[in-house]
Amino acid sequence: SAPAGGAGGAAGADSVVVAAATEPDSLSPLLGYGKDGNSKIFDGLLTRDADMKLKPALAQALPEVSADGRTYSFTLRRGVKFSDGAPFSAKDVVFTYRTILAAGTNNPSKTELDAIETVEAKGEDTVVFTLKYPYAPFAERTVLPIAPEHIAGKQDVNSGDFTTHPVGTGPYVLTGWSKGEKLSFKANPHHWGGEPAVKKFTMAVIKDDDVRATRLRSGELDGAILPPNLAEGFAKDTARRTYAAKTFDYRTVTLPTHHEVTGDLAVRRALDIAVDRTAMVDKLLDGAGKPAFGPVPTDSPWFAAGTERRHDLDRARRILDDAGWKAGADGIRTKDGVRASFPLWYTSGDKIRQDHALAFASDAKKAGIEVRTEAGTWEVIEPRMKTEAVLAGGGSPADPDFDQYLLLTSSHGGDGFNNMAWYDDPAVDAALAEGRRSADPAVRKAAYDTVQRRLADNPGYVFLTHIDHLYVVNDKWDGLGTQVEPHDHGLGAGPWWNVETWKPKQK
Amino acid sequence: MAGRRTLSAAPVLLAVTFGVFALAALSPFDPVKAYAGTAGLTASQAELDQLRINLGVDRPLVARWWDWLTSALTGDLGTSAVMRQPVADVIAERVGWSALLAACAFTAAVLAGTVLGVLAARRTGGPLDRTVSALAYTLEAAPAFWLALLAIWFFSVRLGALPSGGLTDAGSDTVTFAQVASHLVLPALVLGVSQLPWFFLYVRQGVADALAEDPVRGARARGLAERRVLLGHALRSGMLPMLTLIGSRVPELITGALLVETVFSWPGVAAATVQAATSVDFPLLAALTVLATGAVLAGNLLSDLLYGLADPRVGFDG
Amino acid sequence: MAEQVWRTRGGARRSTRTLRVRACAAVMAVVVLAVLVVPPLAQLDQQAVDLAAKLQPPSWAHPFGTDDVGRDLLLRCVHGLRVSLLVGLVAALVATVIGTAVGAAAGALGGWADRIAMRVVDTLSAIPHLLLGIFVVAVFRPGLWPVVASVAVTHWLSTARIVRAEVLSLRGRPYVDAAVSGGASRWRVAVRHLVPGILPQAGLAAVLMIPHAMWHESALSFLGLGLPAHQASLGNLVQGARGSLLAGHWWPTLFPGLLLIVPTLAIAGLAGAWRDRLNPRRRSELTL
Amino acid sequence: MTPSPHVPAAAGADASRPGGVEPVLRVEGLSVRFRMAAGRYVEAVTEAAFALAPGESLALVGESGCGKSVLASALLGLLPANAETAGSALLADGLDLLAADERTLARTVRGRRVGLVPQSPAAHLTPVRTVRSQLEETVRELAGTADAGHTTQAGPPPASGGSDRPARRGRRHRLAALRAAAEAAAGRAAFPASHLDRHPHELSGGLAQRAATALALVGDAPLLLADEPTTGLDRDLVLRTADELRAHTRADGRALLLITHDLAAAERIADTVAVMYAGRIVEIAPAGAFFGSPGPRHPYARGLLDALPERAFIPVPGAPPELGALPPGCAFAARCAAADPLCRTRRPALTEGVACHHA
Amino acid sequence: MLELKDITAGYDRRTPAVRGAHLSLRPGESLGLLGPSGCGKSTLARVAALLHRPDRGTVTLDGHAVTGFSHRAPRSLRTAVGVVFQQPRLAADPRLRLRDLVAEPLRATGRRSEAAARVAELAQRVGLGADLLARRPHEVSDGQLQRACLARALVLCPRWLVCDEMTAMLDASTTAALVAVVEDYRAETGAGLLAVGHDPVLLERWCGRTAHWNEIVKDRPPVTDRQHPYGGHVLRP
Ligand SMILES: Nc1ncnc2c1ncn2[C@@H]1O[C@H](COP(=O)(O)OP(=O)(O)OP(=O)(O)O)[C@@H](O)[C@H]1O
Ligand SMILES: Nc1ncnc2c1ncn2[C@@H]1O[C@H](COP(=O)(O)OP(=O)(O)OP(=O)(O)O)[C@@H](O)[C@H]1O
Ligand SMILES: [Mg+2]
Ligand SMILES: [Mg+2]
């Protein structure tokens, strides 16, 4: 029942207004902006195509990797200019990486570049990275945007003007940022990839889902990200199209090994098959998602076929019975005086996690395990993570190492939000190390298959779903599509990841 | 009185800023986590510790407050961690828009509340009184959030008459008067309506009580028209509590503005308050609180002055 | 003697008034009964998720329908009402008592006591409510009582100011002189002559605070500072139902919304009758 | 006591005036009762009847609490909502004050055709406004009548004209005229101009009384109800107020209902005296006869005069009956030396100006 | 002794309402104070009742100098003076039934138990029926209210009485009756009386001794009689 003219959009076809739920804290790559690519204002050395394959951007070609996997050399594209007219060169690349790694820089995602030992310029157009250890997925990190040294170098990295008035080489130039309201961009006519057809791009910041949907309906917006139940409302709207982006965005329940109930392997295995993932996808996500059996989604090439687990309540009960967990009067099992009961925390204000937690608790109860849902902020949850279960989320599509290494290696147990469950499985540790060291795709695939199989036998987490991200966009342009998206989807995700290549639809 | 009150603002400001620092330090939120955002979820502990030192939040509370205070007195308000911007810039960019919104909403609420209150008090128990009173309690029970959604749905989606958010059209970059004016209507309306119940009910109560008193009987006996009796006598003595409200509702106005600014993507300073509070951004929080304190003190001073003018029997001091 | 015809002015509303008061009282009685009796009697789990029964419209099995994870809304509404009424009533009561006490003391004592009390009120009202709320909740731990405390702590301020201003105006009245001459202490003057005069204003603030506190609670829980969001309270229910409403499901909003408003109106009706009785003139005009 | 001058033409007490001019006010069978808790009634006024001819002043006297103020309030429709009235009170043009609706009373009667000096004037002034503002407001409201005797009012400012100057000048002029009119009104009641800018609570009792009188005189109403207009005034001012009221009444055939306990003032002003006891008018007589010889005929009225400090200064023995439970016979019987069983059982009717079995 | 010496009092310092008034009263003595309207009698009465702090001068009550009281005179002295105010409508708390109005001073001074009996006795004296005692101020006539106010003034058995135009709104018979009540009380207790009023005949008969304002206010030109029988209405310095 969209009113007529609802799809009118804000202006002509060379102007696009979309809405996002979140806003970047800063626009400086040095502080972490755009680290996963598609930053609009900036370019990285490399970038990804629609299939998530790396392709050259500011570099002329993919890097040359030395045999020991510890040296990466990039040859830079020539003639690229920043939007202020200054030429781009190797020293900007070196400046960017070195600044990020500097201790005084408040960039919270430095860890991702942990492998880098040195970064050097070789002449005007070559940059060489030397790593501390062989790190197969390193090239994936170099989608990170490059900042101009001649501007950013003269200011305080953390609070300088550059953080809000960035200058880059990207397809768009920032024309205004009204915090809490919108970011406006205009096409960069001198972009090395050619001038975009969409001349004006505006990203309105609308935190609330319902308001976003309403404003989309009122015709002020050309596109917006929406939760499934609201996107549903636009399904019959012929002037708009809904895009469901595949993601690596999973929701999982951590089962801390240090808790007397969740530490019991039988309980973990029972829970893993007691949950009805299909029902969750159908009902909680309105079908916009997939059951998850590990960090890797079932349709990814990295997925280890055959590790899917069927919902099997009877078997779950049997496992518990066999392990000595006996049902009490109230239906909750006990073993050696220990009641099969544990708390499950979710972050308050997050509806999806809340629903997952409730559904998980209700499934667990059917198997005779009491899960007490609790809500809190991370500050409340964090000190309890060692022994209490948490409904967590994550997912990074570029390389399986990104997710799994931090999530599963025993050495990261209790290190911040990495490996919250203190999962400890020597076979997994070994496979993960192998996966990040080897450059051979076959070896890596085998290694990650091993990890996924072990996860099925010794689940430290109960993975529940992978969540599709839904976007509703006016049907006025050609060239739209979605990439596979990570958990944390900011400006760079959504059908507008490649807005620079959109073309107005021919009528 | 105004002079003395201005003087007494200094200890209040000191107490408030220190209070804010102390409360923020004691609050369960961690500035480092807030700064890191989602990236913090994958950061290592060493990383976070380094960040803590860089942000200066590892230092003792009193030292931080003192540093902030001394540099604030020299005009340097520090840098906001959440906004990644000097605090002075954050405030300069935003405070005007907030003030505009709040002032419009407040004026509308006070005027509408007074008019409706008088009309309702004229016949308490009458249909108008019943309807508006019930509505007022309902409004007080309805979060500003709901009102906002409803307003957007009705005025923007249904009627297509008013823009539903932002300071200007999303696609336009220039800030023109007409644009701002039309974008101001809905947020100001919602904020005003959410403030209305108190003003309405207090005026109603005050006027209805005054109508039962001898002075109104006297005014009637003199042959004054009903309108004069209502406005010149019943309202004049019945509006005293409402005048107090003008000052004491300022904090509620700020809280309301915070929600409304968020829903309508209004680039004001109130929306930044929640962020500053939940992410424990000391310099920003302190500066915003100083602003709020100013508003509250000014509001209270104003209402005390008005009260003193309106009721000669009151001898306010201090 | 000829039959006398008695005329009245404006007395005709009397009967509907009593009716209204009775209706309000009846509503409150039902609400209180439901809140006290239903949860212990019905041994049902208000958190029981049934994904298969998601978002079902009202029916015999679920008179209020179900929510988006298939929980029975009637059960949740009753539980929520219990929590919300508790929060609303207790917080409003505490805030009003504190506000009235501080305001009356400041107004009646005057001088330095007044000045200091008012500067404290200024200070507290200047600190963002949210921050004060966060603090209170942090000192204890998220839960019901901290929420009540945090609402009460932040909401007595305007009552205090209103009461003080009224007291300042009242304390110059000649009848206060008469009381003083009769040996009344300041305390007695305040309690016996000033406070009764400002009770209508304070009572109004209290009534307004009840619904306000109910949704303030849900705002706190949204930030993770109140009750957990899955725990039923009217505020949480209404907040959580927003998305469903836009998607065309009216019942998850309507019923909790009504339960939020109807008792409020009933309390307001009773309080209005009470305020009329506080006003000596209107009281005698309304002799029932 | 000096006998006061009388204007013979006006000294008629009977309601039925053969062929005479229509009375300014004719009250018949006026009763007022208050509904109290538990269905009880307080019968404040019972079947009062009298008429006021143009130019006549009627002094209503009686013991405290006998219903005088209630009677006045009833005539203006200012009773509280729990009051019930019966009977009629007709103005010269036939308007029944007791039956008229609030609108008529507010727009055409109060202030304009019936003025009131309330008892307890300080309580009847709006506390938050100065006397001047209330006086000016009243003058403005009743402008049509107020301007008659005073300064000229500026005509409507010329509507055309590019600048707003003439309009503003006109306004200033009008404000000045208003101010002057207000001060003149204050002067009539001997309210000092220097106190005009005070608030009611800053006035002495006598000043408040004069302010109330000034306000009531503004409308130059044909009928003035003055409820104790001389309380709190010193002798000089009492005389002055009495003279002002008498002059006001005599001019243009206005009428005055003077409710007072101040018998000296009553004697100075009144043409007729009505004595009220326990809600009833028990005697109504020409003032000359009442104060001079033969004197009052009702035993209560005699007792009242004897209680004056100039005379015996002895109160009427006993206490007045409670109006909630009036005895079946004569209400005064319990206090009357001459009472016999008839008095206790049968209520005397008002015949030939007195309601007493023995008069 | 109730002694007012050189009292200057008022509501703003520049134009005091009372200037340099002297007045003294021995126990058992009574004084009628006459004066034109607005000259400051009520103000002086309030000073004598220790309700108003004079700007200058001393008040001595039973040997206690009570000028230095900071905000309020001590309770024992306040209650030693019973006051009947000029305007009963304003001097009665609108929310109290007459019964409570009269009993209030007893309750305030902690003599709650005596209240019922004492109220009944005084009501009987001033002539207030049970029916009236149960009403609130706006439900009774001004005269009835004034009776209650007199009862309230007497309820604590004060050693001094200040009656500010107590009988202004009373008819002759009630006036005589209430004066008799006061005189009976004085005969019983030997209390001193300051009666303010306008009626010289009444005050003469009541108090025996009267003073004109001119006589007690020493340091300003005596109030000349007005140029005209009732010419200048208020006396301003
Ligand atoms: N609102 C009321 N409710 C009940 N009784 C009332 C009310 N107002 C007045 N009365 C009663 O009606 C009677 C008449 O009162 P009214 O004020 O007319 O007396 P009055 O003759 O004017 O006396 P006074 O000389 O003292 O002013 C009194 O006995 C009084 O108690
Ligand atoms: N609260 C007040 N504030 C300011 N001025 C006041 C106040 N009360 C009284 N006055 C003024 O002080 C003067 C004396 O007042 P006061 O009441 O003592 O007179 P009074 O002699 O009792 O007169 P009356 O006989 O009319 O009652 C008057 O001019 C009066 O206007
Ligand atoms: Mg009277
Ligand atoms: Mg006086």
Side-chain angles (χ1 to χ4, degrees), chain C residues 38-207:
Chain C
V38 173
L41 278 193
Q43 288 289 338
L44 299 170
D45 183 4
Q46 47 130 343
Q47 299 290 4
V49 171
D50 180 4
L51 290 182
K54 170 188 174 176
L55 280 174
Q56 291 190 345
S59 64
W60 281 117
H62 302 288
F64 283 10
T66 59
D67 71 1
D68 54 0
V69 287
R71 287 174 292 187
D72 180 57
L73 271 172
L74 175 59
L75 206 58
R76 285 180 66 72
C77 279
V78 176
H79 277 270
L81 191 62
R82 191 184 163 106
V83 170
S84 291
L85 268 189
L86 194 71
V87 172
L89 290 176
V90 177
L93 196 74
V94 173
T96 308
V97 168
I98 301 181
T100 310
V102 173
L109 296 179
W112 278 106
D114 178 34
R115 251 171 259 159
I116 290 175
M118 284 306 110
R119 293 303 82 80
V120 169
V121 169
D122 281 349
T123 307
L124 282 181
S125 30
I127 295 180
H129 281 188
L130 187 72
L131 202 61
L132 278 178
I134 290 174
F135 172 73
V136 171
V137 177
V139 167
F140 303 97
R141 244 184 68 92
L144 192 61
W145 295 112
V147 169
V148 172
S150 113
V151 177
V153 160
T154 47
H155 286 75
W156 59 272
L157 304 163
S158 52
T159 310
R161 287 204 71 97
I162 293 172
V163 167
R164 164 185 175 259
E166 282 289 292
V167 164
L168 281 182
S169 164
L170 289 180
R171 74 169 185 183
R173 303 279 156 97
Y175 63 76
V176 173
D177 272 347
V180 169
S181 156
S185 60
R186 285 161 197 238
W187 169 244
R188 180 137 186 118
V189 166
V191 168
R192 189 79 173 145
H193 301 285
L194 301 180
V195 168
I198 46 89
L199 272 186
Q201 324 288 353
L204 188 54
V207 176

Side-chain angles (χ1 to χ4, degrees), chain D residues 195 198 202 204-206, chain E residues 11 37-43 86 165 198:
Chain D
H195 280 55
R198 299 207 174 192
E202 297 168 331
S204 77
Chain E
Y11 306 89
S37 167
C39 68
K41 300 184 297 298
S42 300
T43 310
Q86 183 172 7
E165 313 211 15
H198 288 302

Side-chain angles (χ1 to χ4, degrees), chain A residues 335-355:
Chain A
K335 176 183 177 183
D336 306 334
V338 177
R339 218 171 115 82
S341 167
F342 62 93
L344 169 61
W345 289 86
Y346 64 88
T347 39
S348 36
D350 186 333
K351 180 85 165 68
I352 295 209
R353 289 190 195 203
Q354 178 189 330
D355 289 352

Side-chain angles (χ1 to χ4, degrees), chain E residues 96-118:
Chain E
L96 296 185
R97 295 176 189 280
L98 297 197
R99 194 193 303 131
D100 301 318
L101 194 75
V102 176
E104 186 55 28
L106 284 175
R107 302 210 178 115
T109 50
R111 290 153 64 187
R112 191 173 292 271
S113 54
E114 305 163 35
R118 186 96 177 103

